[in-house]
Amino acid sequence: MESLLAVSSVATVFFPLRPSPSAALRSAVPVAARGVRCAAAKDSMFYELTHDEIFNSAEVIQWESGKSMNAIAAAQGIRIRRRCQPRYPSEGTGADRAIPHNILEQIIWDKEVEVSQRKAKKPLQKVIESAEHAPPPRDFVGALDTAHRRNEVPALIAEVKKASPSRGVLRDHFNPVEIAHTYETNGAACLSILTDEKHFQGSFENMETVRNSGVKCPVLCKEFVIDVWQIYYARSKGADAILLIAAVLPDLDIKYMLRICRNLGMTALIEVQDDREFDRVLKIDGVQLIGINNRNLETFQVDTTNTKMLLEKRRDIIKKKGILVVGESGLFTPEDITYVHNTGVSAVLVGESLLTQDDPGQAIAGLFGKELLH
Ligand SMILES: O=C(O)c1ccccc1NCC(=O)[C@H](O)[C@H](O)COP(=O)(O)O
């Protein structure tokens, strides 16, 4: 344990934005070290990681042997770099670090600044305490599964987003509560609510207001998670599920964040976009829900054949593990829905094609070619 505590104090003191060797470990240790004694922390943050889980982790061994966060991530095929202060000369400080390579990297760099500011205002311990007073979490996967069986088409996760980097403003008159209610009335199984302010014009306030407005659908916090603080914060605002993006998070972060979600009663929707990410995620125990994004978050290109290409090779393992798969992005017509359904998805995540219609809820029947039943 000593070694871990030492590691943690280095990370905490010198690299406040550094989310590694994983955000998970760095966040875990200070909580324990500061003697947080609330139930959530006791159950999920520290005490549940066994000695073997911590010390057999290849990532920790790499980290302790001097590899940087970005080097560990790159070894897993992750191209998104963290803009933490360099710890080793090999991380570089040159011009290549000053300019993000793509929009996802820009979003993550902005998120590092945002999260550190939010944490300064409301430290983890306070957020954990707030999460204990949130409304009880709802069963996200159960709602999808039930809706899928009932309607014999993929269950709908209907997205509430005002704008996106690829499309700009989708809807001038944007009332998240109104949109959420019309989605629910017209058969959405779950809601996805963008919380990123800078790039999507979303907010945690939107999500909290919708969750407290009388909707019954479970709510996904559509956020760019880089730190466990965000998971507790999302729960404190009523989220039932949260997005974890494999293109951004190394395996150890995903494992640890999954564990935190489980202990909070939340579902993690783990998003993949290519073969490598899919295979990484399938090796992680306890994954219930995987989203295949048809949109390449680095180039914005949308290609619905991505779902088919990735799923057809992995049907057996998905079935064996009982994982529910969500087809995400770029779905506009009943043919698109049938196409991804035939590839094996049980749910779809749809934003733009609904939000650009006068009544996003009524647009659901047009998208599916029939009305969805509750
Ligand atoms: O939508 C974007 O431009 C975008 C850019 C960078 C990162 C994420 C982005 N979108 C998140 C999503 O994947 C979508 O909001 C979601 O899957 C719904 O897609 P759509 O139906 O195409 O709005």
Side-chain angles (χ1 to χ4, degrees):
M1 199 58 65
E2 262 174 21
S3 131
L4 185 60
L5 291 171
V7 162
S8 146
S9 68
V10 169
T12 307
V13 174
F14 295 114
F15 308 105
L17 293 183
R18 173 183 292 276
S20 23
S22 69
L25 284 176
R26 188 170 63 78
S27 299
V29 177
V31 169
R34 286 176 207 148
V36 172
R37 283 291 172 265
C38 74
K42 184 171 186 296
D43 290 340
S44 63
M45 292 285 303
F46 184 73
Y47 299 91
E48 272 215 1
L49 272 184
T50 65
H51 183 276
D52 281 355
E53 280 171 316
I54 294 169
F55 288 96
N56 289 338
S57 158
E59 292 93 332
V60 174
I61 291 161
Q62 277 179 312
W63 191 66
E64 288 187 328
S65 68
K67 284 205 175 178
S68 71
M69 164 66 178
N70 284 335
I72 293 167
Q76 294 174 19
I78 296 172
R79 290 181 298 276
I80 303 302
R81 300 160 303 163
R82 296 293 172 82
R83 204 184 189 188
C84 39
Q85 276 181 286
R87 209 161 57 110
Y88 305 102
S90 60
E91 284 187 67
T93 51
D96 65 313
R97 293 184 53 80
I99 301 165
H101 285 165
N102 54 57
I103 183 65
L104 185 55
E105 197 163 84
Q106 176 71 68
I107 293 171
I108 295 304
W109 290 6
D110 290 338
K111 195 57 71 181
E112 286 181 331
V113 175
E114 179 198 318
V115 171
S116 75
Q117 288 168 349
R118 285 184 183 269
K119 281 170 88 169
K121 278 196 203 143
K122 188 158 183 174
L124 183 63
Q125 184 179 344
K126 290 251 177 291
V127 179
I128 290 173
E129 283 161 14
S130 302
E132 286 179 15
H133 300 111
R138 295 172 178 162
D139 181 1
F140 198 87
V141 174
L144 295 178
D145 197 35
T146 307
H148 180 219
R149 288 171 200 276
R150 187 173 44 228
N151 286 300
E152 297 178 337
V153 290
L156 174 64
I157 307 171
E159 190 145 279
V160 179
K161 75 174 163 186
K162 175 161 181 162
S164 73
S166 58
R167 295 284 183 227
V169 173
L170 295 166
R171 203 174 173 78
D172 285 321
H173 169 71
F174 182 76
N175 181 331
V177 171
E178 215 174 79
I179 295 168
H181 280 266
T182 185
Y183 278 156
E184 180 164 282
T185 308
N186 288 281
C190 295
L191 302 168
S192 161
I193 305 194
L194 265 297
T195 47
D196 180 79
E197 290 178 17
K198 186 160 186 184
H199 299 277
F200 292 84
Q201 298 188 35
S203 69
F204 280 97
E205 288 67 33
N206 283 354
M207 189 185 72
E208 187 175 32
T209 312
V210 168
R211 185 59 166 73
N212 294 335
S213 70
V215 292
K216 299 206 168 47
C217 288
V219 167
L220 170 77
C221 174
K222 195 86 187 291
E223 176 60 346
F224 294 84
V225 173
I226 51 168
D227 191 304
V228 294
W229 183 94
Q230 293 162 282
I231 302 177
Y232 284 100
Y233 191 65
R235 180 80 276 276
S236 76
K237 300 287 176 188
D240 304 293
I242 193 149
L243 182 73
L244 302 178
I245 303 178
V248 171
L249 298 168
D251 296 352
L252 190 62
D253 283 337
I254 296 179
K255 286 177 199 165
Y256 196 77
M257 288 173 176
L258 258 178
R259 186 167 279 239
I260 288 170
C261 286
R262 199 163 53 239
N263 283 302
L264 287 171
M266 292 172 83
T267 300
L269 169 61
I270 307 184
E271 183 175 292
V272 301
Q273 209 264 323
D274 63 23
D275 283 300
R276 192 164 183 168
E277 289 168 14
F278 210 154
D279 288 335
R280 279 176 50 215
V281 170
L282 286 175
K283 287 194 191 112
I284 296 174
D285 285 337
V287 173
Q288 284 183 288
L289 191 62
I290 295 181
I292 300 179
N293 206 338
N294 295 315
R295 179 177 287 111
N296 180 320
L297 300 185
E298 296 177 29
T299 63
F300 289 159
Q301 265 182 340
V302 175
D303 177 7
T304 44
T305 64
N306 198 39
T307 301
K308 181 169 186 216
M309 208 181 64
L310 296 189
L311 253 188
E312 64 188 4
K313 297 177 231 167
R314 297 174 178 85
R315 275 178 202 238
D316 291 347
I317 183 160
I318 292 282
K319 197 168 169 203
K320 192 167 151 217
K321 288 187 154 226
I323 293 170
L324 196 149
V325 179
V326 183
E328 300 179 5
S329 305
L331 303 172
F332 287 89
T333 64
E335 290 71 32
D336 291 339
I337 299 293
T338 304
Y339 176 79
V340 290
H341 197 202
N342 289 341
T343 68
V345 308
S346 306
V348 287
L349 172 58
V350 183
E352 181 185 339
S353 70
L354 302 176
L355 286 155
T356 47
Q357 313 263 340
D358 284 346
D359 184 328
Q362 282 182 8
I364 291 174
L367 175 65
F368 283 83
K370 67 175 193 178
E371 293 197 351
L372 301 186
L373 304 173
H374 274 291

